Amino acid sequence: VFVDRYYVQAMYNIKQAAGRAGVSVPVLRAWERRYGIVRPERSTSGYRQFDDDSVARVRTMRGLVEAGWSPSAAAAAILDGRVPVPEMPPLEAARPTRAGAGTQDIAGAGAGAGASAGAGAGAGATDAEGSSGGRELAERLVSGAAALDARAVDAVLDDFFSRGSFERVADTLLFPALQRLGDAWAAGFVSVAGEHLASNAVLRRLGLALDAAGSPSGGRGRVIIGLPPGGRHELGALAFAVAARRAGLAVAYLGPDLPVDDWITAADGAAAAVVGVVTARERRAALHVVRRLVEAHPDLVVAVGGAGALDEPGVIRLPASLPASVAALAGALEGGAQPG
Ligand code: B12
């Protein structure tokens, strides 16, 4: 938990600690009493208080027991250090994920309804990247996900989207927090269910923001945005769709996992196709999509965006920040120029 700029050790009561470690309260009590796997402090009123390290030890023990160890052997291996207990990775300052993020707010001045997800766009971001506020929001998102607390996740998302324009909030606060969530999941501090809870809540907010940004329009100038076959990491592509629509582009958002043939059909009569790519697997599938698009529709502006984006002749590689990537696409549409 962050108080001002200082990290203060989070403490949990037995119910919260058991929930975070994925065991029942009676099991946690038994493991404490029988095997000494945790030695909780007592609050002034005598209640047990558990820190992150205790939670990590119980979670590690649970993993060993699920893998077939006897509880006594698991506890002994953890207590004498034969089985390492993962530490919660240090929380990095919330930062724009790529250079240039959040420096320009072209979309705020553009067409579209201009509403942000959930709450209205406030008067400029008060939480600049790297501030303790950004870290605190990220930590609250991770804690809510870890505790499967949908209300807490919703509340922190309200808070996110009250901190400035959609583009700035997404680039400087929300994306770093989601990456933090991914780190916490990879370190075993957030379950798959917790990660799904949080990323689906974000997905719903982005969907609301897309609707709020104006009505989709077909016909001339249409920009289709989606993921290649098998691709499911859609939050970046959907956020880009929101920003593009807020900048006045006629966006049709096609979502994840679109088969190649459907990309080709959907691009009929469209002005641009944007393919989102995050992982290596998506990259291979995206390469196939963009090659087919370039071949089938020589006049189409074809672009890829995302961390795993690729360099391919005739295909625009979009930069990372939302305003910059929207500006790059809008520029290509106006100029009609294709890279060589
Ligand atoms: C949420 C999540 C999921 C969700 C996605 C839900 C959804 N509706 O999108 C689900 C559960 C589906 C999922 C599944 C998987 N995931 Co996943 N996932 C994540 C997580 C936690 C967050 C991703 C995210 O949304 N981040 C927020 C977005 C906005 O950031 P981003 O995706 O990095 O995008 C940035 C840029 O790339 C850019 N961007 C992205 N797309 C686009 C598109 C355009 C057009 C533009 C302009 C920009 C842009 O914007 C962002 C800000 O810069 C990350 C952890 C992490 N560190 O990122 C793992 C992560 C991406 N997943 C990972 C893996 C391995 C998987 C699975 C293979 C797991 C499995 N074994 O099943 C599957 C594969 C699914 C598939 N078929 O593609 C790995 C990828 C490793 C790698 N580089 O190859 C990560 C990094 C986790 C990890 N630490 O190992 N995942």
Side-chain angles (χ1 to χ4, degrees):
V1 175
F2 280 89
V3 175
D4 285 333
R5 286 170 182 279
Y6 300 99
Y7 185 74
V8 178
Q9 177 71 59
M11 297 301 273
Y12 312 103
N13 64 28
I14 190 160
K15 196 170 162 217
Q16 291 165 329
R20 285 184 153 234
V23 298
S24 66
V25 170
V27 164
L28 176 50
R29 272 210 201 95
W31 287 1
E32 177 199 341
R33 208 176 47 241
R34 288 188 206 150
Y35 309 112
I37 189 77
V38 284
R39 299 193 190 288
E41 290 173 20
R42 296 271 173 176
S43 67
T44 41
S45 37
Y47 290 110
R48 288 177 180 80
Q49 292 195 306
F50 298 83
D51 58 14
D52 277 325
D53 183 53
S54 303
V55 171
R57 256 178 291 144
V58 176
R59 184 183 296 113
T60 304
M61 174 147 167
R62 189 198 84 197
L64 294 176
V65 170
E66 283 173 0
W69 293 49
S70 72
S72 59
I78 290 167
L79 290 173
D80 68 19
R82 274 177 293 134
V83 171
V85 174
E87 266 178 47
M88 185 67 179
L91 188 59
E92 282 177 51
R95 51 173 170 19
T97 41
R98 307 288 180 272
T103 51
Q104 192 196 7
D105 186 11
I106 59 161
S116 75
T126 47
D127 261 301
E129 62 265 19
S131 73
S132 59
R135 290 196 298 265
E136 193 237 301
L137 283 174
E139 186 63 12
R140 278 172 54 204
L141 182 70
V142 170
S143 303
L148 290 184
D149 185 341
R151 255 170 66 148
V153 169
D154 275 345
V156 70
L157 290 179
D158 284 343
D159 212 347
F160 268 112
F161 286 110
S162 67
R163 305 257 176 149
S165 71
F166 174 83
E167 293 74 15
R168 188 172 166 85
V169 166
D171 269 346
T172 65
L173 296 174
L174 183 63
F175 292 167
L178 284 166
Q179 272 147 17
R180 168 73 182 152
L181 176 73
D183 292 344
W185 165 74
F189 279 82
V190 173
S191 64
V192 171
E195 176 277 306
H196 279 29
L197 173 82
S199 56
N200 274 299
V202 172
L203 186 70
R204 293 194 301 274
R205 293 298 172 116
L206 296 178
L208 287 175
L210 185 66
D211 290 344
S215 47
S217 55
R220 279 166 58 88
R222 186 161 46 93
V223 176
I224 58 171
I225 300 172
L227 265 56
R232 286 178 58 204
H233 291 108
E234 68 171 313
L235 301 185
L238 181 51
F240 173 77
V242 174
R245 200 179 270 179
R246 275 164 56 86
L249 298 176
V251 165
Y253 180 67
L254 308 179
D257 192 19
L258 187 66
V260 180
D261 288 346
D262 296 274
W263 272 102
I264 305 303
T265 318
D268 244 340
V274 179
V275 185
V277 192
V278 171
T279 64
R281 211 171 119 219
E282 289 161 355
R283 203 162 183 273
R284 279 191 294 278
L287 192 59
H288 192 47
V289 171
V290 295
R291 284 186 177 152
R292 286 276 312 277
L293 281 171
V294 167
E295 193 185 285
H297 300 288
D299 294 333
L300 184 74
V301 171
V302 180
V304 287
L310 34 100
D311 290 314
E312 175 70 7
V315 175
I316 296 164
R317 185 180 175 147
L318 297 175
S321 95
L322 285 177
S325 56
V326 172
L329 182 68
L333 282 167
E334 271 164 32
Q338 300 262 354

